[in-house]
Amino acid sequence: MRLSRLSDATAWAAELAAVARGAEVQPLESAVGAPGSVVYLGSVAARERIWLQFDAASDPTAVVAAAWAVVESVTSERVSRHRLPVVGRACLAVALPAQGRLARPEPVPYLDGGLLGAQGSVLAAMRRFQPTWLVHFQDWSGTGTPSVQAVSLAGSSRTEVPAAGELGESMRVVESYLLDGDLHRRLDGGGRLRTWLGQPTAAARALGEAPDPRACAMTARYVERMGYRTPRSLSGAERARVLEESAVIEVGPGRYIPRPAWRRLGGGNLAELALTELGAGGLTGQTLGGSVSRRAGQALALAEGAVVHRLNLDVTEGGP
């Protein structure tokens, strides 16, 4: 793939079709009118149907490279540890934009979109696909020149953000899965996940035992094992001040879940819509800075970790 040709939509589509090796490729309209695509891979009869969306708000080079790598890894004949189990046990839909540019909100929100986002053509394709698991990577880099220090992790309008709240070259993840109502309200009310001795509380154990939260936690560890960071966890008064203005609850370093009030609205981002409409859990990864190669690497690590742990294919780090 020659990334320099991404500005030529016709050449880009032709090269994507060539790499997909006969897989079904369908066009997607984007928020700025530029074409995107969704590529369908794997077993059409598989029980697990995983939607992978690589999205950007400006330069799509990094996310297209990541999506391209996913398509190539599934369709190639190279020896791979996970390719055959993934192809045999899952059907994948890989959605990606072609080109375009959106104005980035300041600061970057938790519940948002991108060039593809959660608009009509994407939702229609997702409903037809009927996913059981969804991963939405969003690259918010290159859409402006404000300093990283001015980007609030909580989505507020404050410009003085503690160092621990900087997104920078790290990636934060918003997780979407069904939660017991009492547990969700307890977490929203400030329920602790660790005792003062550092031991997990009952709420933390409940999250750790549920399949979807456990898969998300293991995906976060997988991303870190691949050499990428998540934002450092806030603590004390800073944590209380930042999170009280937010639409999310912190459940780990760089890991968040929507507050019950936002979930009751029935949407917010693509993963929440998939959960509300189709019962499909998932996660939304967001990054703000770093080189093209690092952002592409983050997207690949998130997608691979989510697929591997959804399918119980990793036997390291306490995996099944």
Side-chain angles (χ1 to χ4, degrees):
M1 176 182 59
R2 287 168 285 181
L3 295 179
S4 61
R5 297 184 63 185
L6 288 178
S7 59
D8 185 341
T10 302
W12 174 87
E15 289 189 14
L16 176 63
V19 172
R21 297 177 184 270
E24 181 183 359
V25 182
Q26 293 184 350
L28 288 174
E29 295 181 359
S30 78
V32 293
S37 295
V38 57
V39 184
Y40 297 98
L41 308 162
S43 172
V44 295
R47 178 180 177 182
E48 289 290 356
R49 305 179 64 83
I50 303 176
W51 182 279
L52 303 174
Q53 184 158 317
F54 297 89
D55 222 337
S58 180
D59 178 14
T61 304
V63 294
V64 169
W68 211 289
V70 170
V71 172
E72 194 277 336
S73 67
V74 174
T75 57
S76 73
E77 297 179 355
R78 290 181 294 101
V79 176
S80 172
R81 177 184 176 189
H82 297 307
R83 181 176 67 84
L84 289 179
V86 169
V87 170
R89 295 172 53 185
C91 183
L92 304 181
V94 182
L96 65 158
Q99 56 187 346
R101 183 181 181 89
L102 292 177
R104 187 189 73 197
E106 180 61 39
V108 175
Y110 282 102
L111 307 177
D112 56 356
L115 288 176
L116 293 177
Q119 59 188 309
S121 62
V122 173
L123 290 175
M126 185 184 71
R127 288 167 182 144
R128 288 193 299 269
F129 183 69
Q130 292 285 303
T132 58
W133 188 246
L134 183 143
V135 180
H136 188 188
F137 178 85
Q138 300 170 348
D139 182 1
W140 287 93
S141 307
T143 50
T145 57
S147 66
V148 171
Q149 287 76 11
V151 180
S152 169
L153 194 61
S156 70
S157 59
R158 294 182 299 106
T159 56
E160 295 182 2
V161 182
E166 294 175 5
L167 190 55
E169 295 187 6
S170 58
M171 177 174 59
R172 69 186 179 196
V173 178
V174 181
E175 303 170 358
S176 298
Y177 37 71
L178 293 176
L179 280 172
D180 173 78
D182 289 339
L183 173 61
H184 205 171
R185 286 188 293 272
R186 190 156 70 247
L187 292 171
D188 189 37
R192 296 170 58 89
L193 294 174
R194 295 283 174 179
T195 68
W196 66 278
L197 291 174
Q199 298 300 312
T201 63
R205 290 194 297 272
L207 282 177
E209 292 168 357
D212 286 353
R214 184 168 179 266
C216 288
M218 295 179 73
T219 298
R221 292 201 294 269
Y222 187 95
V223 169
E224 292 181 349
R225 278 162 43 204
M226 295 297 105
Y228 302 102
R229 297 187 300 113
T230 54
R232 288 169 289 170
S233 180
L234 302 178
S235 61
E238 290 178 344
R239 180 180 187 277
R241 183 176 68 251
V242 170
L243 293 179
E244 71 181 1
E245 300 173 339
S246 175
V248 295
I249 305 165
E250 185 183 32
V251 294
R255 296 176 52 220
Y256 304 88
I257 58 175
R259 291 190 183 279
W262 282 89
R263 175 155 293 171
R264 285 195 293 270
L265 293 176
N269 62 16
L270 186 64
E272 284 294 300
L273 287 168
L275 180 67
T276 301
E277 291 193 21
L278 307 172
L283 57 165
T284 304
Q286 299 175 315
T287 192
L288 179 62
S291 65
V292 169
S293 61
R294 284 196 64 81
R295 299 193 319 264
Q298 285 176 326
L300 277 173
L302 181 73
E304 184 175 63
V307 171
V308 162
H309 292 297
R310 175 68 179 185
L311 299 178
N312 292 328
L313 298 179
D314 195 358
V315 295
T316 63
E317 295 272 329

